[in-house]
Amino acid sequence: MNKIYKKLAIVGEVGAGKTQLINTISEISPFATEARSSVDIGKEFTTVGIDYGRLSLDEDTALGLYGLPGQRRFSLLWETVRQGLWGLLILVKYGDGLNLEDLEHILRFYQPHSNGLPVVVGISHTEDATGDELEVLVDYIEFTLAAHNLVAPILPVDPRDVESSIMLLELFHSLDSAGDIFQQPEFVEVGVADAS
Amino acid sequence: MQEDIIFQILEGHQDTIGEAIYKARRDYQIETLTIIANYRCEKPVFSGWNMRYIRPGGHTTPAHLERIKTELEPHLKTDQPAATALFHTIFTPSPAIVTAPAETLPAATREVTADAVDTGTDTERLHTHLLSIRAWPKASQVKLSSQVMKACALMSKGKISYQELFRHCLWRSEAELTEFLSQLNHIGVLVFAPMEAAASSSEATETEPVQTSSGDRFGALMRKFLTNTRLRVS
């Protein structure tokens, strides 16, 4: 039987919770490239490269979990996971102000719409957010996604929480399955291409 | 302004523009909002222009329109048929520029929000139109159950009929699906599109069985993993 290996890219800014999320989902101890932070970012260690975790679905099938820094200067790292992507999870840290430029760069780089790549946006650290504040943030992200022809789920996540993390995988699974359904011959004539 | 279309150019910092768009999208007077071009410029392109009324048929009208058209055309979102169609609807198309058949132009703008469809009851409309969503419902609006995720995933990928939604999303009853769709309608994210396109699909020749691919196997195993994990967690 052929081995199947797919990748989930988890891209986000410093402190968004990439390492924690991988820690929660991965069956192996994540290979983290953490270093002591030289500036005050609210925690002692931060990721300076790729975090890696894995989820084996059977002995021949696995999902690789790749935590990648969200800043544009790390786009060389983004390139390393581009092939075989199952999904793109963008983690946004609530409270630091949304960096639309980074979000733009990530979307321009991966071009999810053209590549049929499922996207989910998770907002972390929302414990102290009011409903209104969160709604405005979601609207901003929604607007940015719409500019890239994307209609994607945007939801609060708690990377420490198993249920919350599993829900992200379930969303990707739903989006992936939906893509497969629309590729079936009965749907081809409907003109899925102009869903925008 | 042309008929019921208002065309607007916004220049400024992206956050400011984002805020303006956000407000416009929430304006109950605006039925649909389409961004036909979105690009970065180092200095204001329309600096010195104020709001003005251009009278149809006025002698300055063609020059103004031509300038705006010339400025925007290279930046058109060519990968969005709706945006391109709208652009050509607003500006009198030049035969040299329009590549799509003219009769296809209004079609892209024919999609309307649920509120704008004024024929039939809500339930009838669900059955007589193809359905899609303009945005996922927020977590505060709808609980993301498995069925909701599947349905939203399908409607975010393309237009789908009520029957197909019911078939693929494993709803326990039609009443549940109808209630969910009504909820999306109420939130304002549900989009109705005419059903003609579906006719061609139903007339399509026999569908080939879908080949079992590595994607299917991956999907099946992922589903199994999610089900087992959910059981363990709960």
Side-chain angles (χ1 to χ4, degrees):
Chain A
M1 188 179 286
N2 291 335
K3 289 188 184 299
I4 303 173
Y5 181 77
K6 298 202 178 193
K7 300 172 189 171
L8 176 64
I10 303 166
V11 190
E13 61 196 297
V14 173
K18 305 180 290 290
T19 308
Q20 178 60 59
L21 182 70
I22 292 175
N23 213 7
T24 304
I25 299 175
S26 178
E27 74 205 3
I28 58 169
S29 297
F31 295 108
T33 49
E34 296 214 314
R36 197 179 295 274
S37 174
S38 55
V39 292
D40 182 11
I41 54 169
K43 58 178 185 173
E44 191 178 3
F45 288 92
T46 189
T47 303
V48 291
I50 295 182
D51 280 329
Y52 176 72
R54 193 184 62 211
L55 185 64
S56 295
L57 300 175
D58 72 6
E59 57 189 20
D60 295 312
T61 311
L63 175 68
L65 308 163
Y66 294 82
L68 303 159
Q71 300 94 320
R72 189 187 189 182
R73 63 179 183 276
F74 291 111
S75 57
L76 197 66
L77 295 176
W78 301 351
E79 182 65 48
T80 57
V81 302
R82 206 201 297 241
Q83 291 298 317
L85 262 188
W86 180 62
L88 170 64
L89 171 63
I90 301 172
L91 270 187
V92 174
K93 182 184 177 186
Y94 177 81
D96 283 357
L98 177 60
N99 190 331
L100 282 175
E101 286 202 3
D102 280 348
L103 186 56
E104 277 284 343
H105 289 142
I106 294 166
L107 294 172
R108 254 184 249 148
F109 184 86
Y110 285 109
Q111 303 201 354
H113 177 70
S114 325
N115 296 323
L117 176 67
V119 173
V120 174
V121 180
I123 307 174
S124 60
H125 300 274
T126 57
E127 298 84 8
D128 299 326
T130 66
D132 284 351
E133 288 168 339
L134 206 52
E135 292 229 341
V136 170
L137 178 61
V138 170
D139 282 325
Y140 270 106
I141 296 170
E142 196 179 293
F143 166 66
T144 307
L145 296 180
H148 290 264
N149 298 328
L150 283 174
V151 176
I154 307 163
L155 71 162
V157 295
D158 181 351
R160 298 162 301 182
D161 182 56
V162 175
E163 200 164 347
S164 180
S165 307
I166 291 300
M167 179 182 271
L168 294 173
L169 290 183
E170 196 165 359
L171 278 167
F172 279 110
H173 175 59
S174 299
L175 289 164
D176 188 44
S177 306
D180 289 346
I181 287 170
F182 272 106
Q183 279 170 7
Q184 290 174 13
E186 62 195 284
F187 272 96
V188 171
E189 296 292 319
V190 182
V192 177
D194 68 5
S196 59
Chain B
M1 254 186 96
Q2 182 176 311
E3 296 180 357
D4 56 353
I5 302 170
I6 295 174
F7 170 76
Q8 200 166 11
I9 296 171
L10 300 176
E11 284 189 334
H13 190 273
Q14 60 177 2
D15 289 348
T16 314
I17 293 175
E19 197 171 352
I21 297 287
Y22 161 64
K23 284 181 182 165
R25 289 187 111 186
R26 261 66 192 156
D27 189 336
Y28 71 96
Q29 298 170 93
I30 297 172
E31 192 178 292
T32 54
L33 192 150
T34 305
I35 295 166
I36 59 176
N38 180 17
Y39 61 98
R40 185 182 300 275
C41 50
E42 296 305 320
K43 54 183 182 180
V45 178
F46 292 97
S47 174
W49 280 48
N50 291 313
M51 192 175 282
R52 66 177 70 190
Y53 175 62
I54 301 176
R55 187 164 47 86
H59 69 281
T60 57
T61 305
H64 285 307
L65 290 179
E66 194 55 41
R67 183 182 161 191
I68 296 170
K69 185 178 174 184
T70 307
E71 167 60 32
L72 293 182
E73 201 147 34
H75 305 287
L76 268 186
K77 288 176 165 291
T78 49
D79 55 340
Q80 288 185 27
T84 313
L86 195 56
F87 177 83
H88 290 302
T89 305
I90 295 166
F91 297 96
T92 310
S94 144
I97 296 167
V98 177
T99 52
E103 65 271 19
T104 65
L105 295 181
T109 56
R110 226 167 36 214
E111 285 179 23
V112 288
T113 58
D115 293 339
V117 180
D118 57 5
T119 54
T121 64
D122 280 353
T123 313
E124 279 171 1
R125 283 187 281 162
L126 294 176
H127 288 274
T128 55
H129 288 74
L130 292 176
L131 309 169
S132 60
I133 51 172
R134 66 172 70 248
W136 276 65
K138 295 185 175 74
S140 57
Q141 296 169 322
V142 173
K143 189 175 181 298
L144 285 178
S145 66
S146 292
Q147 288 96 335
V148 167
M149 285 189 222
K150 282 177 193 163
C152 287
L154 279 167
M155 288 190 287
S156 69
K157 289 274 178 188
K159 299 164 201 159
I160 186 165
S161 69
Y162 176 93
Q163 290 75 15
E164 290 291 339
L165 263 186
F166 186 69
R167 187 160 73 90
H168 288 291
C169 300
L170 308 173
W171 297 89
R172 277 177 297 188
S173 69
E174 286 211 33
E176 260 188 21
L177 174 59
T178 305
E179 188 186 332
F180 163 65
L181 292 171
S182 301
Q183 209 175 350
L184 292 188
N185 185 1
H186 180 71
I187 295 165
V189 296
L190 191 63
V191 178
F192 288 71
M195 192 64 108
E196 303 98 78
S200 62
S201 80
S202 62
E203 288 162 11
T205 51
E206 283 177 45
T207 54
E208 298 285 332
V210 180
Q211 298 295 313
T212 304
S213 64
S214 61
D216 293 333
R217 196 174 117 221
F218 185 89
L221 288 168
M222 178 58 78
R223 187 165 51 246
K224 189 175 162 192
F225 166 80
L226 290 169
T227 308
N228 291 341
T229 309
R230 280 235 175 269
L231 285 173
R232 272 207 309 273
V233 171
S234 61

